[in-house]
Amino acid sequence: MEYVKFGSSNLRISRLGLGAMGFGDPAWRSWVLDESDSRAIIQRAFDAGINFIDTSNFYSNGTSETVLGNALWDIANRDEIVLSAKVGNPTAKHANASGFSKKHLFAAVDASLKRLKTDHVDILRTHIWDPHTHIDELVDAFDAIVQSGKALYIGASTMPTWTFVRCISLAERIGKTGFGSMECEYNLCDREAERDLIPFCREYGVAVTPFSPLARGFLCADHRATEAASKRRHSDDYTLKRYHRPGDFKVWEIVAEMAHARAVSPAMIALAWTLHQPGITSPIFGATRIAHVDEAVAAMAVQLSESEMQALEAAYQPRGPQNLRS
């Protein structure tokens, strides 16, 4: 496993990150694994050298964090793991159960730490973006969490570039902890982050740890075929809405053709492309089978030529303005 610096910090994380959305409670999403089945995947990832684990209090209504808290410390020592958490999504139905007020953030972080069975997370990030957020309060609250020792580094996920820039500039101007990482959606079928977000992060030394490098599984199989239907496909309407455009299927066809020619899986080609992109620190992949971990690790050895990169990118269908509350 290769380890890289987390942006401009001195923290080192594995070149691949394991996303924990698939660990938790099958009652939340039918494709989610319970704790017993999750343990084997977490163990495999750790054995492969993956030290970067990403979760959220939203996943399985917090049960993802409970699974990690129960399993991780049987597998690894705390200092061996770089644990990333996210807050902001609804955790209950009352008025202050979501968003970025100090009231919600302080309570949400304490609840996450209890479930994760640790006194701190290494990285804390905003999750869903709320355009009505008062950024001054968000920056102040995240700084307070760092000063309390409950998080070491902070960042954002799915935040508009102009807002992210404002968070960074405000923190710098008033002497607060800076947002040093971005977790954005980025894959062969969604390259909108290339417009300004990734270039900004490269220029300012911000770590980029994109999620959905396989387009939520869309780039793993031909989803026009009945036999390719999975539990996630039937229960994840976001994937159906976002990754079934004509251009997405053209991208899939090129990925599949290249995978066949190289005798590797389509997932390995798609992940290798993301790993090849400048400015990408560590893509976060999800796994619900041990084989998914093995494929992701093997993708690190796939070297794509310039002509192959161009072929993969040629069919991209640009997107219009995005709804970051999806």
Side-chain angles (χ1 to χ4, degrees):
M1 178 57 60
E2 179 185 355
Y3 298 91
V4 294
K5 290 185 69 174
F6 186 67
S8 58
S9 78
N10 293 321
L11 181 68
R12 298 184 69 81
I13 66 172
S14 50
R15 189 72 167 96
L16 292 171
L18 178 66
M21 187 177 180
F23 309 148
D25 183 358
W28 184 68
R29 300 286 191 274
S30 60
W31 48 271
V32 170
L33 305 180
D34 62 18
E35 182 177 327
S36 177
D37 290 333
S38 299
R39 279 178 174 265
I41 294 172
I42 297 168
Q43 180 73 63
R44 187 63 152 233
F46 180 73
D47 290 344
I50 294 173
N51 73 346
F52 174 37
I53 311 292
D54 179 79
T55 188
S56 167
N57 60 0
F58 179 71
Y59 300 157
S60 290
N61 300 313
T63 306
S64 169
E65 294 178 326
T66 300
V67 168
L68 289 178
N70 291 341
L72 266 179
W73 317 130
D74 291 338
I75 294 169
N77 296 321
R78 180 63 185 89
D79 63 351
E80 294 179 289
I81 298 298
V82 177
L83 189 56
S84 174
K86 298 188 289 291
V87 289
N89 256 309
T91 56
K93 294 182 179 180
H94 62 81
N96 288 301
S98 64
F100 302 109
S101 68
K102 289 182 179 179
K103 178 177 177 61
H104 175 65
L105 290 175
F106 294 167
V109 168
D110 285 345
S112 289
L113 294 179
K114 184 176 180 179
R115 288 188 292 265
L116 290 165
K117 296 183 177 179
T118 183
D119 62 357
H120 74 281
V121 292
D122 299 288
I123 305 161
L124 179 69
R125 299 192 250 215
T126 61
H127 199 173
I128 195 170
W129 177 242
D130 181 350
H132 304 294
T133 297
H134 188 261
I135 292 178
D136 297 58
E137 182 178 0
L138 169 61
V139 169
D140 190 49
F142 265 48
D143 176 73
I145 292 168
V146 172
Q147 299 309 319
S148 72
K150 295 177 181 179
L152 305 183
Y153 302 89
I154 58 173
S157 175
T158 58
M159 181 185 285
T161 305
W162 71 267
T163 309
F164 189 51
V165 171
R166 187 177 170 194
C167 286
I168 291 175
S169 62
L170 176 62
E172 183 177 5
R173 179 166 56 84
I174 63 177
K176 300 292 185 178
T177 305
F179 282 48
S181 68
M182 168 53 67
E183 183 179 324
C184 56
E185 190 160 9
Y186 185 53
N187 54 63
L188 274 165
C189 293
D190 190 339
R191 294 167 47 200
E192 298 307 298
E194 293 176 1
R195 295 183 185 275
D196 51 15
L197 183 57
I198 292 176
F200 169 78
C201 291
R202 290 181 65 192
E203 180 69 21
Y204 286 90
V206 174
V208 179
T209 58
F211 66 91
S212 295
L214 305 180
R216 299 171 81 94
F218 177 84
L219 291 171
C220 296
D222 188 345
H223 288 265
R224 293 166 295 193
T226 304
E227 59 271 20
S230 63
K231 288 184 178 179
R232 180 163 189 172
R233 178 181 172 183
H234 290 305
S235 62
D236 188 353
D237 62 338
Y238 179 90
T239 302
L240 291 171
K241 290 186 293 186
R242 190 153 191 84
Y243 291 116
H244 282 64
R245 304 174 306 158
D248 298 334
F249 283 108
K250 290 180 180 179
V251 171
W252 153 250
E253 290 168 357
I254 296 169
V255 169
E257 181 181 343
M258 195 172 296
H260 178 74
R262 281 176 164 263
V264 299
S265 70
M268 289 171 63
I269 295 295
L271 185 53
W273 177 86
T274 305
L275 286 163
H276 275 68
Q277 297 307 303
I280 300 303
T281 307
S282 177
I284 298 169
F285 72 97
T288 52
R289 301 176 189 170
I290 287 176
H292 294 163
V293 177
D294 295 341
E295 281 188 334
V297 174
M300 296 176 61
V302 176
Q303 297 297 317
L304 299 173
S305 67
E306 185 63 31
S307 61
E308 287 175 319
M309 294 286 285
Q310 291 175 357
L312 289 167
E313 295 168 2
Y316 181 63
Q317 179 182 342
R319 298 172 181 271
Q322 298 187 58
N323 177 7
L324 292 173
R325 292 185 60 85
S326 297

